[in-house]
Amino acid sequence: MSVRFSAEITGANEVMATLLGLSKGRAAQAFAKAMNDTGFEGRRAMQAEMAQVFDKPTPYILRSPRFKGATAQRLSVTIEPTYLGGKGIDPQKILQAQEWGGTRVDKRSEVALRRVGILPAGFQTVVPQSPFPGSTDGYGNIKGSFIVQLLSYFQSFGEQGYKANMTDKTKGRIHRGTKKSAGRRYFVSYGKLRGGARTTAKGSPDQRASALAPGIWAASGTGGVDVQPVLMFVKRGSYKPRLSMQRIADKADLYNFLQSRVRFRFREAAGV
């Protein structure tokens, strides 16, 4: 998803350059500056639109729009969400379904949970309406450190990451708790998806799990009586288009903005 525009010094712009006494090279430089002004404006408009149409967008997503600037030799500009490296997911993959609709791409954590048979085929994970204490980042997303703990707890790391899988000793510390966090056990419920009750940590049938909604749950308190949802399993959903790059360009009136900046940059180059 992107906005692209390019231009050539022809027609009225060429006449304007001639009237102002600009050489072709100086006119091209002025044109490039005007296009980059428009690129900045388009980036600002894209960020404003994402902040308006999304619920609690993360700073990572809002910072992702970048533009490839124009030069005197290449009079074109591209504005698009850009992957800047690191552990984050490519914003293009996150936002693609928001423009065209369709299904959300699986998160790496979902791929890992499905690989070990915890997440059923055709399902994805969502944060419950009342998030588990300490599990979210303030934007409605599960914390990276928390999801790593869950993956480690359920032995979900593959062969290359097997050392990150939690040992029984570490699980024991989580079960006992610390001064900062209460002891808890994580378990999986499939509700009616797979039928029958799951088992407790001791291997006995756990009738609670068959009555709970599909997902990962935590049991804490004396005898594990305090049961809270951690991650819910939901059928893979389809997005309706919410983010239109054409609408962003039209709303920001980028074409007329560009023409205005061309006139300004030409006069600036001519010292008028």
Side-chain angles (χ1 to χ4, degrees), residues 181-226:
S181 62
R184 60 197 180 278
R185 294 177 182 272
Y186 298 117
F187 64 95
V188 180
S189 165
Y190 292 104
K192 306 299 182 182
L193 291 181
R194 295 181 177 176
R198 311 306 293 172
T199 59
T200 65
K202 296 181 179 179
S204 57
D206 189 345
Q207 298 299 329
R208 298 171 305 175
S210 62
L212 297 173
I216 295 175
W217 294 72
S220 58
T222 304
V225 296
D226 186 10

Side-chain angles (χ1 to χ4, degrees), residues 55-162:
D55 180 27
K56 294 181 181 180
T58 64
Y60 174 75
I61 287 296
L62 291 180
R63 288 196 304 264
S64 67
R66 292 289 189 275
F67 78 91
K68 184 177 182 180
T71 66
Q73 293 73 40
R74 188 191 68 252
L75 294 175
S76 64
V77 168
T78 301
I79 312 165
E80 61 186 353
T82 304
Y83 178 57
L84 301 177
K87 296 183 179 180
I89 301 174
D90 186 345
Q92 284 280 9
K93 293 182 179 180
I94 297 174
L95 296 172
Q96 196 72 34
Q98 303 292 345
E99 182 174 19
W100 303 109
T103 58
R104 171 173 66 78
V105 176
D106 283 338
K107 301 173 184 176
R108 286 194 291 267
S109 59
E110 291 167 336
V111 173
L113 289 172
R114 189 176 295 113
R115 183 178 61 241
V116 295
I118 291 176
L119 182 64
F123 282 73
Q124 293 177 323
T125 59
V126 297
V127 176
Q129 187 172 2
S130 297
F132 185 74
S135 67
T136 57
D137 60 4
Y139 297 97
N141 302 309
I142 200 82
K143 286 181 180 177
S145 58
F146 190 85
I147 195 66
V148 166
Q149 184 187 85
L150 284 181
L151 293 175
S152 177
Y153 188 93
F154 287 109
Q155 308 290 298
S156 302
F157 289 100
E159 290 183 7
Q160 294 183 357
Y162 74 95

